[in-house]
Amino acid sequence: METRELRYFVAVAEEAHVGRAAERLGMAQPPLSRAIAQLERRLGADLFVRTPRGMALTGVGRTLLDEGRAALAAVEAAERRTRRAAEAPGRAPVVLTAKAGASSELMAKLLDAYAAEPGAVAVDVVLSPPGHQALMLRDGRADVAILHRPFDDVSGFDVDELATEEQVLILPSGHPASTSRSMTVAEAGAIPDLPLPRWPSLDGSYPDGPGPELRDLTQVLQLVRLGRASVVLPESARANLRDGLAVVPLTDAPRVTTLIAWPPHSTSAGVAGLVRAAGAL
């Protein structure tokens, strides 16, 4: 199977229409239809159900879509990492991505520990919106990522666990609920004048709900301080809180495990050194 065929298939699957996929790919519709039919013959299975309104994936097609996206991301990652290595042979910087506003103290310790190692290379830190770290690691924009289980998909990565902690509710210190000794997650989400924020999906869309649409932790903490929202965060967030905020423990929230993750096939000495430094913290 060629990467060109996978790109054709993924475009048709995502557009659910050969004409729209052809337009997206910048090609004519007939050769795209022939390529999809040839792919189905080679695999010996129907990937789509043809309907008057377009193309619907079969169960086999959904499997290939998942696998095809992963394969194309791996090809893109290989190209990006190879280009970086070619730009600075033997001394290419390691790109580390993390969620903006999260794990700040741990990141500072990690970078200091790695910088003290003999042969340490430069580390470019990329702070990105929630949920983007694993994607950046898969497609080669990053070499190492700080991820958080159970929120991030760590499948296919090598990982080391760095810390596990409880979650807490952050709310304005003057609010009546701030005096609570503890809450359940349901109780935290039911405070009428302090809705929990809505975080964007990878496609930029937001789930329905009353909470504010947010993109970074600094923004949400400002709204909490103004009495417009509350937010659930790992307990380590206490260290970075300023005046005007209160913390209430949550009795039934899942524990959060912070991990350092990297591609299992990585041969980068810089990545290996950064992982060793993390494990020694």
Side-chain angles (χ1 to χ4, degrees), residues 14 62 88 96 101 135 160 179 249 253:
E14 291 179 345
R62 282 191 290 273
L96 169 66
L135 178 62
D160 272 352
T179 60

Side-chain angles (χ1 to χ4, degrees), residues 56-72:
L57 282 170
T58 63
V60 175
R62 282 191 290 273
T63 298
L64 183 59
L65 180 59
D66 292 340
E67 298 290 346
R69 282 170 169 163
L72 292 174

Side-chain angles (χ1 to χ4, degrees), residues 96-186:
L96 169 66
T97 184
K99 182 164 54 179
S103 307
S104 301
E105 185 176 354
L106 183 144
M107 289 263 292
K109 291 179 180 178
L110 171 59
L111 294 173
D112 287 345
Y114 175 63
E117 283 203 357
V121 300
V123 179
D124 293 341
V125 178
V126 179
L127 301 180
S128 48
H132 284 66
Q133 294 72 41
L135 178 62
M136 293 179 65
L137 191 56
R138 293 187 202 282
D139 68 16
R141 286 176 290 166
D143 302 303
V144 187
I146 302 297
L147 302 180
H148 299 87
R149 187 189 285 144
F151 308 116
D152 293 313
D153 177 13
V154 302
S155 60
F157 299 139
D158 283 345
V159 300
D160 272 352
E161 295 185 2
L162 303 181
T164 299
E165 56 189 316
E166 306 292 342
Q167 294 193 80
V168 296
L169 179 69
I170 312 295
L171 67 169
S173 56
H175 193 276
S178 66
T179 60
S180 302
R181 296 178 62 88
S182 64
M183 286 188 188
T184 65
V185 172

